Amino acid sequence: MSQDKIDILKRALSREKAARKQAEKILENKAAELYHAKQELEQSYLELESLLNKTDSQLQGVFENIVDPYVIMDLFGNVLKMNEAAVDLLGCDDINSYFNLMDLVHPKDLQSVAESFQFLLKNGSITDFNLKIITQKQEEKLLHLNGSIIYDKGQPLAAQGIVRDITKAKEAEIQLIESENRLATLILNLDSGVLLEDENRKIVLTNNKFCELFEIKQTPNELKGQDFANVTEHYKTYFKTPDLFIQNIQEILKNKHEVLGDELEMKNGKILERDYVPIYEGAIYKGHLWTYRDVTLRRKYRKGLEAQKQKYSSVIANMNLGLMEVDNYDKIIMVNKSFLNISGYKKNELIGKYANEIFPIEDDINTIREENSDRIKGRANSYEIKCKTKTGSIKHCLISGALNYNLNGEVIGSIGIYLDITALKTLQLQKEKLLIELEKSNNELQEYAHIVSHDLKSPLRSIDALINWIKEDNKDKLDEMSLQNMELIEDTLEKMEQLISDVLMYSSIGANVVEEDLVDLNELVNELQKILYIPDHISVNILNTLPSIKGDRTKLKQLFQNFISNAVKFNDKEKGIIEIDVLNQDDYYKFSVKDNGIGIDKKYHDKIFKIFHALNKSKDSTGIGLSIIKKIINLHKGDVWIESSLGKGTTFHFTLKK
């Protein structure tokens, strides 16, 4: 190694030794400073302990007399002393618990507490400071603090403070503010105009409806603090009598007595209802509250009700129905003019009397009691009774009764409507008598028809027998013309006998009432096809399944027999077709019987169902068949009509009730 390098190393070692000695000297100085600081701190604690011991009896008295939580801490936040109230507040085990108050501070309030502690050190005290803590029992609480520094010989040694739990008070305050806000919002949006004035008539509060009613352009907030006397001058012109309106206000304010339901009429036709309520604090007048409500519709409705009441009162008083109102004890409250006419009493003879003791005769008293019992149970009813009038005459009345309710829905009695049906009852009795006599006459007529039929047919059969005898006795003597005349006589006799049978049948329909059965029409028509003569060139087709009908089987069979027989008899086509169809309607079945026969001229459509009206003058036609059809259909509560034209066939439509 060269001498130069050796010299460089020696110089470096020399500098390092010098630096080490300097560092050691600095460390010795720092250690001395720390020792002195430790001595001073220990002295401070000794002095603080001495101070606390010196004033312990005094503090003990303070602790015993302070109801609120009281805490003493050092300048680093360590608790030195606290009372029982503080123990409960902070969630500690006892008064000897040792902890640092900063450990309880809510994280969100750490910065605020640090700044407040600096303020306390600088100014010596702090008041009305709020902070949130988490107690040793993990409960969140909001605290209110008043604190001060404890000095000894001018030097700060510790801090003391009185703490209050304001958690519930704060919650209550928040709820109160929310309630006030809701109340303010409610008042602002009320459907009544509200105005609150102080004792000097300065506006304290108003709302949107008030501004709307009086067309005030300013908002409720803009009106606060204004002299309402000036505002009154603005909106007095909206009333029909402006001066009287102002005078009325001045009078109310002078008397300071509560005014409710005061009506005011505006020029635009609106009607306002106004209330005035004076406000006192003890015996001192603090202002007043005005409320305005638009009651225009209510007043018009009330007037409308009054008009309706007058109208219906007039109708009730003069209608041809007797009306009587009674209370829950059947005591008469009101009667109308028609009821007085029915009963023969005067109004003052009825009001206050018991209805069931005046009108019904003995036989109907139980009926009245039973019906009243049903009506009390809430059932409206109608019934018939016999009434004895004031003069003693008997009248038949139809009564309809219903309960009468008050505005609260409570039953306060009942209302009865009386219809005098005496004349109707007399007619009914006459009708029943006539029906009995008519039934007797019909029976006699039916019996007479059978006798006449028998008596008429006997001579006809005798004539027919005589003709046959004459032909037999003179068969070699009679010429051809005479024989033809004899045959014409026989045909006429046969037709006359058929006519007598048809007339008897027509008169018998409806006379013999039999119990109705459920008749299967498919089965019935099939039976007819087997017993009726239907030529081979004519076919009978059923297009839809026929229903079962409740009715007289014999008459229904006769009905379809006549339709089918007529369709066969008056068919002139090489290939005859008869179609039977049915449609299901609401209350009826609609049937049709269609053929492709000779047809019927439209001018005869209204006549063919009349008795003895035969369009074809053949010996087989008496003109009664279609009349019998119509009568049978009518008995089954149906109707019949025709669609036809010459040469194109005929369709008979008819309905039968289900």
Side-chain angles (χ1 to χ4, degrees):
M1 183 182 292
S2 66
Q3 187 62 41
D4 292 337
K5 290 181 178 179
I6 292 171
D7 291 337
I8 291 170
L9 288 172
K10 285 180 178 180
R11 286 194 296 270
L13 288 170
S14 178
R15 285 195 297 273
E16 184 180 349
K17 287 179 180 179
R20 188 181 299 164
K21 285 181 179 181
Q22 188 177 359
E24 287 175 354
K25 188 176 182 178
I26 291 170
L27 286 172
E28 287 175 0
N29 291 334
K30 290 292 183 184
E33 288 177 6
L34 286 171
Y35 177 77
H36 288 302
K38 179 183 176 185
Q39 292 293 323
E40 289 176 0
L41 185 59
E42 288 176 352
Q43 183 64 31
S44 296
Y45 273 109
L46 288 172
E47 291 173 355
L48 179 59
E49 186 177 355
S50 174
L51 178 64
L52 288 172
N53 290 332
K54 190 187 298 183
T55 58
D56 185 63
S57 60
Q58 297 174 357
L59 287 172
Q60 189 64 34
V62 172
F63 276 34
E64 289 175 356
N65 291 291
I66 292 178
V67 178
D68 293 322
Y70 178 72
V71 179
I72 297 175
M73 69 176 186
D74 64 18
L75 298 180
F76 300 101
N78 297 307
V79 174
L80 300 175
K81 194 154 187 162
M82 58 183 170
N83 64 0
E84 290 291 347
V87 170
D88 292 338
L89 176 65
L90 301 177
C92 304
D93 294 331
D94 53 50
I95 59 174
N96 297 317
S97 297
Y98 178 79
F99 59 94
N100 192 294
L101 288 172
M102 292 298 290
D103 293 337
L104 303 183
V105 177
H106 196 282
K108 291 183 179 179
D109 283 0
L110 282 172
Q111 181 65 30
S112 172
V113 170
E115 292 173 357
S116 300
F117 190 70
Q118 292 301 320
F119 179 86
L120 175 63
L121 287 173
K122 182 179 178 181
N123 296 283
S125 66
I126 188 170
T127 58
D128 297 329
F129 176 65
N130 295 340
L131 74 155
K132 187 181 285 188
I133 68 165
I134 301 175
T135 70
Q136 290 190 345
K137 292 183 178 179
Q138 299 302 308
E139 296 175 335
E140 281 194 11
K141 291 185 178 181
L142 185 65
L143 306 182
H144 176 273
L145 172 67
N146 289 318
S148 62
I149 297 293
I150 299 173
Y151 294 94
D152 182 39
K153 297 177 183 179
Q155 293 297 318
L157 292 179
Q160 62 180 348
I162 294 176
V163 188
R164 289 193 181 121
D165 184 356
I166 60 169
T167 308
K168 291 184 178 178
K170 193 66 179 179
E171 289 175 356
E173 182 184 347
I174 291 170
Q175 289 178 356
L176 181 61
I177 291 170
E178 289 176 351
S179 297
E180 287 176 350
N181 290 336
R182 285 196 296 269
L183 182 60
T185 303
L186 177 64
I187 291 172
L188 192 66
N189 296 287
L190 272 177
D191 198 39
S192 297
V194 175
L195 172 67
L196 180 63
E197 298 179 78
D198 64 16
E199 65 273 22
N200 299 314
R201 295 209 66 193
K202 299 292 183 184
I203 299 175
V204 178
L205 177 143
T206 187
N207 67 350
N208 293 327
K209 188 65 177 181
F210 180 82
C211 297
E212 178 191 326
L213 286 173
F214 301 111
E215 300 181 15
I216 298 172
K217 303 299 181 185
Q218 294 170 287
T219 65
N221 280 334
E222 292 170 342
L223 288 172
K224 283 182 182 179
Q226 291 189 31
D227 189 338
F228 189 64
N230 297 330
V231 180
T232 307
E233 289 296 324
H234 160 76
Y235 73 75
K236 73 176 185 180
T237 56
Y238 291 108
F239 293 89
K240 277 194 171 182
T241 53
D243 295 334
L244 185 61
F245 171 72
I246 296 295
Q247 182 183 339
N248 186 250
I249 287 179
Q250 292 170 348
E251 223 174 275
I252 291 172
L253 293 176
K254 181 182 177 182
N255 295 329
K256 293 183 175 58
H257 294 150
E258 185 179 70
V259 177
L260 301 176
D262 191 17
E263 280 198 6
L264 306 169
E265 194 170 353
M266 302 182 78
K267 286 181 179 177
N268 60 7
K270 282 186 181 179
I271 299 172
L272 301 183
E273 191 175 74
R274 179 178 65 185
D275 295 339
Y276 165 82
V277 180
I279 300 170
Y280 288 90
E281 191 175 295
I284 301 172
Y285 179 71
K286 302 298 290 184
H288 46 265
L289 176 69
W290 301 95
T291 56
Y292 293 84
R293 294 176 294 278
D294 185 351
V295 295
T296 311
L297 288 176
R298 197 192 307 168
R299 292 295 176 269
K300 287 182 178 177
Y301 182 65
R302 187 198 295 171
K303 288 180 180 177
L305 283 179
E306 288 295 329
Q308 291 293 325
K309 182 179 177 182
Q310 291 297 326
K311 180 174 74 174
Y312 288 115
S313 294
S314 177
V315 171
I316 289 170
N318 297 287
M319 68 182 181
N320 198 33
L321 293 171
L323 183 142
M324 178 172 65
E325 181 181 349
V326 298
D327 64 15
N328 286 328
Y329 304 100
D330 207 33
K331 190 179 288 185
I332 300 171
I333 299 172
M334 187 270 288
V335 290
N336 70 346
K337 186 178 178 181
S338 291
F339 188 85
L340 297 176
N341 293 336
I342 292 171
S343 66
Y345 287 91
K346 293 180 180 178
K347 189 173 182 179
N348 60 356
E349 294 175 322
L350 296 177
I351 302 300
K353 301 294 191 302
Y354 291 98
N356 60 1
E357 294 179 359
I358 294 178
F359 305 110
I361 59 174
E362 194 67 31
D363 294 343
D364 287 336
I365 285 180
N366 291 333
T367 301
I368 289 287
R369 288 172 180 164
E370 289 172 8
E371 296 296 340
N372 284 347
S373 176
D374 286 345
R375 190 159 62 246
I376 289 170
K377 293 174 184 175
R379 295 195 290 266
N381 47 9
S382 295
Y383 54 97
E384 184 183 326
I385 63 168
K386 287 183 285 186
C387 300
K388 188 180 289 184
T389 67
K390 183 180 178 181
T391 59
S393 61
I394 301 299
K395 286 194 175 182
H396 294 268
C397 287
L398 182 65
I399 302 177
S400 294
L403 293 176
N404 191 17
Y405 298 88
N406 62 14
L407 294 177
N408 297 322
E410 300 165 338
V411 177
I412 57 172
S414 59
I415 297 174
I417 302 294
Y418 287 72
L419 175 63
D420 185 354
I421 58 170
T422 307
L424 185 65
K425 197 71 177 177
T426 302
L427 289 174
Q428 185 179 348
L429 293 172
Q430 291 175 354
K431 177 186 173 183
E432 290 173 359
K433 185 178 178 181
L434 286 172
L435 286 174
I436 293 170
E437 292 177 356
L438 182 61
E439 184 179 2
K440 183 180 178 182
S441 297
N442 282 338
N443 291 335
E444 291 174 352
L445 184 61
Q446 187 68 24
E447 185 180 350
Y448 175 73
H450 280 280
I451 293 171
V452 168
S453 173
H454 179 270
D455 290 348
L456 286 175
K457 284 183 178 180
S458 292
L460 292 177
R461 293 191 186 103
S462 297
I463 294 170
D464 185 56
L466 288 171
I467 294 296
N468 284 322
W469 292 343
I470 292 171
K471 284 170 64 178
E472 285 293 325
D473 293 341
N474 299 281
K475 59 182 178 180
D476 297 329
K477 299 176 182 178
L478 295 173
D479 57 17
E480 187 176 347
M481 180 62 69
S482 297
L483 289 172
Q484 287 179 356
N485 289 333
M486 291 290 184
E487 288 176 0
L488 285 173
I489 291 171
E490 287 176 335
D491 290 342
T492 303
L493 289 171
E494 185 180 343
K495 185 174 181 180
M496 193 168 181
E497 186 174 356
Q498 181 63 43
L499 181 61
I500 291 169
S501 297
D502 288 349
V503 169
L504 180 61
M505 183 185 297
Y506 182 82
S507 65
S508 299
I509 294 173
N512 299 321
V513 180
V514 297
E515 188 175 341
E516 292 184 336
D517 297 317
L518 193 63
V519 182
D520 185 343
L521 296 182
N522 281 299
E523 181 185 323
L524 185 144
V525 172
N526 287 332
E527 286 178 9
L528 285 173
Q529 291 185 71
K530 292 176 182 177
I531 62 175
L532 291 176
Y533 170 70
I534 300 174
D536 294 338
H537 72 283
I538 295 177
S539 62
V540 178
N541 304 316
I542 300 174
L543 303 184
N544 282 307
T545 303
L546 300 178
S548 294
I549 292 285
K550 195 171 184 181
D552 185 332
R553 180 180 178 83
T554 302
K555 290 182 175 60
L556 289 172
K557 190 171 185 179
Q558 190 176 357
L559 171 68
F560 280 92
Q561 179 179 331
N562 282 7
F563 274 129
I564 295 171
S565 296
N566 279 346
V568 170
K569 188 188 301 180
F570 301 111
N571 199 303
D572 59 348
K573 302 298 188 294
E574 290 183 6
K575 186 176 181 181
I577 299 173
I578 300 171
E579 293 178 342
I580 301 173
D581 200 3
V582 65
L583 291 175
N584 191 347
Q585 297 183 329
D586 292 338
D587 298 320
Y588 294 86
Y589 288 110
K590 179 184 175 184
F591 296 88
S592 63
V593 180
K594 182 179 180 181
D595 66 62
N596 62 341
I598 62 175
I600 301 171
D601 196 329
K602 192 172 183 179
K603 64 182 180 181
Y604 298 115
H605 287 186
D606 294 334
K607 300 177 181 179
I608 59 172
F609 294 108
K610 294 179 180 178
I611 193 167
F612 301 128
H613 195 93
L615 300 181
N616 191 300
K617 301 300 182 181
S618 69
K619 68 174 183 176
D620 297 326
S621 178
T622 61
I624 298 178
L626 290 177
S627 301
I628 291 173
I629 284 174
K630 183 174 176 62
K631 197 168 184 181
I632 292 172
I633 290 172
N634 289 341
L635 283 173
H636 288 81
K637 300 178 183 177
D639 197 9
V640 61
W641 65 98
I642 185 174
E643 289 180 5
S644 181
S645 57
L646 282 173
K648 296 182 179 180
T650 301
T651 302
F652 285 97
H653 298 280
F654 63 98
T655 57
L656 297 177
K657 191 172 178 62
K658 289 182 179 179

